[in-house]
Amino acid sequence: MFPNYSTEKGVKTMKFGTKLLHNGNEIDPITGAASIPLYQASTFHQTDIDHPGEFDYARSGNPTRKALEQTIAELEGGVAGFACASGMAAISTAFLLFSAGDHLVVSNDLYGGTFRVLTQVLPRLGIEATFVDTTDLTKVEEAIQANTKALYIETPSNPTLKVTDLRGVARIARDHSVITMVDNTFMTPCFQRPLDLGADLVIHSATKFISGHSDVVSGLLVTQDREIATRLSGLQNALGSILGVQDSWLTMRGLKTLKARMDASTASAAKIAEGLKRISGVERVFYTGLAEHPGHALQASQASGHGAVLSFDLGSSERVRRVLSQVHLPIVAVSLGSVESILSYPAKMSHAAMPVEERVARGVTDGLLRLSVGLEDADDLLDDLERSIEGRRLYSVGEWRASIV
Ligand SMILES: *Cc1c(COP(=O)(O)O)cnc(C)c1O
């Protein structure tokens, strides 16, 4: 039996919020501790060398990491989970399921780090990718070649939140006997469960919503295919792309409040998206929760929420700079998915390396800002954004921070 597979009965039928706290991995089996201890050990005493225990060396397995891996497998509805040193470690490990001569069809609206691995690392190993607009299923199917092994999707995409039909992609993949891989970082299993929609492999940067506190870098993989699980287990052990003990614990700690955080931040994001539309100076708002968003209905058909990330276009880099210098509440930073709101400038951050024409063609203009909504009061956030966009802030953020102590 595959070591990560939990046969716990009952867990499957519980609601998500309950499952986060009661999934069979929340209590330490040795001591009964209500928080899985940090098993800060690299090696394990073998009482009987002919019958080694479950754990021998922590690259192959560690009880703290195992609890997280089984938890994410339960939450995504897979047979096995893997915790890796970062989202990119998880993605890179998954890409090494492929070999020289293999080909992948990939969303062209992709996380920059994934784009870098696909264009700078995998070609050296003889693994090629074709980038297509996966919101158009015809284009996905047309890009499939005789040597294609997988379709790789991010939905909603970053930062303009284009929605790809996950059921449709999985159907095409099955017709062509290739696998579907989905980066589910923006939605988390709280809102979107790609395995239930026919995907084979789910990927997370758990650095974002899953951990949720801007204090850990972490990545997760889940599959519902036993053969893929066995191969990933071998790769994780061979490559050593494991998540450390402390970071496994922090990721589990964050995960417990995932639903409460996602629900609250999503409700605020919806309010802020509507509010931004009424502010003069905001030319466009991208949020799948808005009825006018082209992916609105599709998103509602495959996910139970619209998430806490939105973006808006101020029309020029001058206005962006003014807002970034005046805004008080969101931190100005890369990353997303935390308890504090995070405002990012994709043109200078996530998409800085992309040629300008390509970037603008993807809607990542010089005036676009991405907001990851945290747990501050939505009215305060909107008020802060409004004053900053309209240039009504009397104090710089530095002066303001100095004044609140
Ligand atoms: C951040 C991110 C990644 C990379 O994860 P790291 O934890 O930073 O390595 C991958 N995909 C998406 C969608 C992300 O937002």
Side-chain angles (χ1 to χ4, degrees), residues 77-89:
V79 296
F82 303 91
C84 299
S86 65
M88 286 320 305

PDB file of all heavy atoms in Angstrom, residues 77-89:
ATOM      1  N   GLY A  77      -8.645  15.603  -2.461  1.00  0.00           N
ATOM      2  CA  GLY A  77      -9.294  14.387  -2.944  1.00  0.00           C
ATOM      3  C   GLY A  77      -8.364  13.493  -3.755  1.00  0.00           C
ATOM      4  O   GLY A  77      -8.782  12.848  -4.716  1.00  0.00           O
ATOM      5  N   GLY A  78      -7.089  13.439  -3.352  1.00  0.00           N
ATOM      6  CA  GLY A  78      -6.126  12.597  -4.064  1.00  0.00           C
ATOM      7  C   GLY A  78      -5.708  11.397  -3.245  1.00  0.00           C
ATOM      8  O   GLY A  78      -6.138  11.222  -2.101  1.00  0.00           O
ATOM      9  N   VAL A  79      -4.861  10.544  -3.833  1.00  0.00           N
ATOM     10  CA  VAL A  79      -4.378   9.367  -3.097  1.00  0.00           C
ATOM     11  C   VAL A  79      -3.061   9.648  -2.389  1.00  0.00           C
ATOM     12  O   VAL A  79      -2.683   8.912  -1.474  1.00  0.00           O
ATOM     13  CB  VAL A  79      -4.196   8.125  -4.010  1.00  0.00           C
ATOM     14  CG1 VAL A  79      -5.535   7.681  -4.568  1.00  0.00           C
ATOM     15  CG2 VAL A  79      -3.185   8.373  -5.129  1.00  0.00           C
ATOM     16  N   ALA A  80      -2.350  10.686  -2.803  1.00  0.00           N
ATOM     17  CA  ALA A  80      -1.072  10.989  -2.161  1.00  0.00           C
ATOM     18  C   ALA A  80      -0.718  12.444  -2.338  1.00  0.00           C
ATOM     19  O   ALA A  80      -1.047  13.059  -3.359  1.00  0.00           O
ATOM     20  CB  ALA A  80       0.035  10.118  -2.754  1.00  0.00           C
ATOM     21  N   GLY A  81      -0.049  13.001  -1.310  1.00  0.00           N
ATOM     22  CA  GLY A  81       0.418  14.379  -1.368  1.00  0.00           C
ATOM     23  C   GLY A  81       1.918  14.418  -1.112  1.00  0.00           C
ATOM     24  O   GLY A  81       2.475  13.514  -0.480  1.00  0.00           O
ATOM     25  N   PHE A  82       2.547  15.473  -1.586  1.00  0.00           N
ATOM     26  CA  PHE A  82       3.986  15.643  -1.418  1.00  0.00           C
ATOM     27  C   PHE A  82       4.263  17.082  -1.058  1.00  0.00           C
ATOM     28  O   PHE A  82       3.754  17.988  -1.719  1.00  0.00           O
ATOM     29  CB  PHE A  82       4.728  15.264  -2.715  1.00  0.00           C
ATOM     30  CG  PHE A  82       4.415  13.867  -3.150  1.00  0.00           C
ATOM     31  CD1 PHE A  82       3.352  13.625  -4.014  1.00  0.00           C
ATOM     32  CD2 PHE A  82       5.119  12.798  -2.631  1.00  0.00           C
ATOM     33  CE1 PHE A  82       3.017  12.334  -4.373  1.00  0.00           C
ATOM     34  CE2 PHE A  82       4.794  11.492  -2.983  1.00  0.00           C
ATOM     35  CZ  PHE A  82       3.737  11.258  -3.856  1.00  0.00           C
ATOM     36  N   ALA A  83       5.066  17.295   0.003  1.00  0.00           N
ATOM     37  CA  ALA A  83       5.404  18.649   0.416  1.00  0.00           C
ATOM     38  C   ALA A  83       6.837  18.938  -0.002  1.00  0.00           C
ATOM     39  O   ALA A  83       7.757  18.184   0.327  1.00  0.00           O
ATOM     40  CB  ALA A  83       5.234  18.801   1.922  1.00  0.00           C
ATOM     41  N   CYS A  84       6.993  20.037  -0.738  1.00  0.00           N
ATOM     42  CA  CYS A  84       8.296  20.370  -1.326  1.00  0.00           C
ATOM     43  C   CYS A  84       8.793  21.717  -0.796  1.00  0.00           C
ATOM     44  O   CYS A  84       8.036  22.491  -0.213  1.00  0.00           O
ATOM     45  CB  CYS A  84       8.178  20.419  -2.845  1.00  0.00           C
ATOM     46  SG  CYS A  84       7.667  18.833  -3.553  1.00  0.00           S
ATOM     47  N   ALA A  85      10.063  21.971  -1.054  1.00  0.00           N
ATOM     48  CA  ALA A  85      10.746  23.138  -0.469  1.00  0.00           C
ATOM     49  C   ALA A  85      10.155  24.478  -0.904  1.00  0.00           C
ATOM     50  O   ALA A  85      10.385  25.492  -0.247  1.00  0.00           O
ATOM     51  CB  ALA A  85      12.228  23.086  -0.813  1.00  0.00           C
ATOM     52  N   SER A  86       9.433  24.505  -2.009  1.00  0.00           N
ATOM     53  CA  SER A  86       8.790  25.733  -2.487  1.00  0.00           C
ATOM     54  C   SER A  86       7.795  25.331  -3.561  1.00  0.00           C
ATOM     55  O   SER A  86       7.799  24.163  -4.008  1.00  0.00           O
ATOM     56  CB  SER A  86       9.835  26.693  -3.090  1.00  0.00           C
ATOM     57  OG  SER A  86      10.410  26.121  -4.250  1.00  0.00           O
ATOM     58  N   GLY A  87       6.979  26.284  -3.990  1.00  0.00           N
ATOM     59  CA  GLY A  87       6.096  26.004  -5.123  1.00  0.00           C
ATOM     60  C   GLY A  87       6.919  25.574  -6.331  1.00  0.00           C
ATOM     61  O   GLY A  87       6.588  24.612  -7.030  1.00  0.00           O
ATOM     62  N   MET A  88       8.030  26.275  -6.581  1.00  0.00           N
ATOM     63  CA  MET A  88       8.864  25.938  -7.738  1.00  0.00           C
ATOM     64  C   MET A  88       9.510  24.569  -7.594  1.00  0.00           C
ATOM     65  O   MET A  88       9.706  23.868  -8.589  1.00  0.00           O
ATOM     66  CB  MET A  88       9.926  27.021  -7.973  1.00  0.00           C
ATOM     67  CG  MET A  88       9.396  28.322  -8.559  1.00  0.00           C
ATOM     68  SD  MET A  88       8.113  28.165  -9.847  1.00  0.00           S
ATOM     69  CE  MET A  88       8.893  27.095 -11.037  1.00  0.00           C
ATOM     70  N   ALA A  89       9.859  24.179  -6.366  1.00  0.00           N
ATOM     71  CA  ALA A  89      10.412  22.828  -6.163  1.00  0.00           C
ATOM     72  C   ALA A  89       9.348  21.784  -6.499  1.00  0.00           C
ATOM     73  O   ALA A  89       9.639  20.747  -7.113  1.00  0.00           O
ATOM     74  CB  ALA A  89      10.902  22.659  -4.726  1.00  0.00           C
TER      75      ALA A  89
END
